[in-house]
């Protein structure tokens, strides 16, 4: 079973990916982008970031829904992708990634976005997986 077929997204509408990406990047210039960014470039960056988030969150949702533990190597591989994806915004160290993990659960805005059309409890599962990843892989 492919994660995207269960919780959402090969048919993810382009507008939703752009909406997610725009919500995530706001008015900032993502890491790795030099110089001024045209509105079209910003929309393309937002679309890519949104699609990447949808792919990662769908994979996490599938792992969670099928009972794969948060510390399982398969889950940790996807969380590694999440950590690399976060580098669109900043370079996380252990402390900042642990704070982000807590933010995902404790801030309703983030929890709603994470669990939108995904299983309830996924934010807590992601937090636990991120904690494991941070302690094993970040300084």
């Amino acid at each position: 079973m492919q994660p995207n077929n269960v919780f959402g997204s090969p048919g993810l509408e382009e507008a939703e990916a752009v909406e997610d990406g725009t919500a995530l990047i706001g008015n900032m210039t993502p890491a790795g982008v030099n110089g001024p960014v045209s509105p079209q470039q910003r929309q393309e960056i937002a679309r890519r970031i949104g699609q990447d988030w949808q792919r990662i969150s769908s994979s996490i949702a599938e792992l969670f829904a099928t009972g794969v533990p948060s510390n399982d190597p398969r889950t940790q591989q996807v969380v590694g992708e999440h950590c690399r994806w976060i580098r669109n915004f900043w370079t996380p160290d252990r402390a900042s990634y642990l704070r982000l993990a807590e933010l995902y659960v404790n801030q309703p805005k983030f929890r709603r976005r994470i669990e939108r059309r995904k299983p309830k409890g996924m934010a807590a599962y992601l937090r636990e997986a991120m904690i494991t990843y941070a302690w094993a892989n970040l300084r």
Side-chain angles (χ1 to χ4, degrees):
M1 180 179 307
Q2 295 299 313
N4 289 340
N5 293 337
V6 175
F7 295 107
S9 75
L12 175 67
E13 295 176 19
E14 205 62 27
E16 187 174 344
V18 172
E19 177 188 328
D20 283 350
T22 301
L24 291 163
I25 65 171
N27 292 320
M28 67 181 268
T29 301
V33 176
N34 296 318
V37 179
S38 73
Q40 294 81 10
Q41 290 170 315
R42 180 170 292 286
Q43 186 172 17
E44 175 56 29
I45 292 165
R47 184 194 60 74
R48 180 184 50 80
I49 288 172
Q51 286 180 333
D52 288 348
W53 166 248
Q54 290 295 332
R55 180 184 48 76
I56 291 165
S57 67
S58 291
S59 295
I60 292 167
E62 174 69 14
L63 292 161
F64 174 59
T66 57
V68 176
S70 62
N71 63 350
D72 184 277
R74 294 168 290 178
T75 307
Q76 291 300 297
Q77 179 181 348
V78 177
V79 173
E81 292 174 28
H82 175 265
C83 188
R84 286 185 292 282
W85 175 79
I86 287 295
R87 289 186 171 101
N88 283 298
F89 313 106
W90 85 93
T91 302
D93 59 10
R94 181 183 294 154
S96 65
Y97 202 61
L98 291 170
R99 284 191 304 274
L100 179 63
E102 291 301 324
L103 182 85
Y104 281 172
V105 171
N106 296 325
Q107 290 295 318
K109 172 183 165 183
F110 284 94
R111 184 181 205 117
R112 277 191 305 272
R113 185 163 285 283
I114 289 168
E115 293 181 349
R116 182 183 67 187
R117 287 180 306 196
K118 304 286 194 287
K120 296 297 177 211
M122 187 177 120
Y125 175 80
L126 177 56
R127 176 189 58 196
E128 295 307 310
M130 289 171 67
I131 290 169
T132 300
Y133 184 88
W135 283 103
N137 298 289
L138 300 174
R139 295 190 179 262

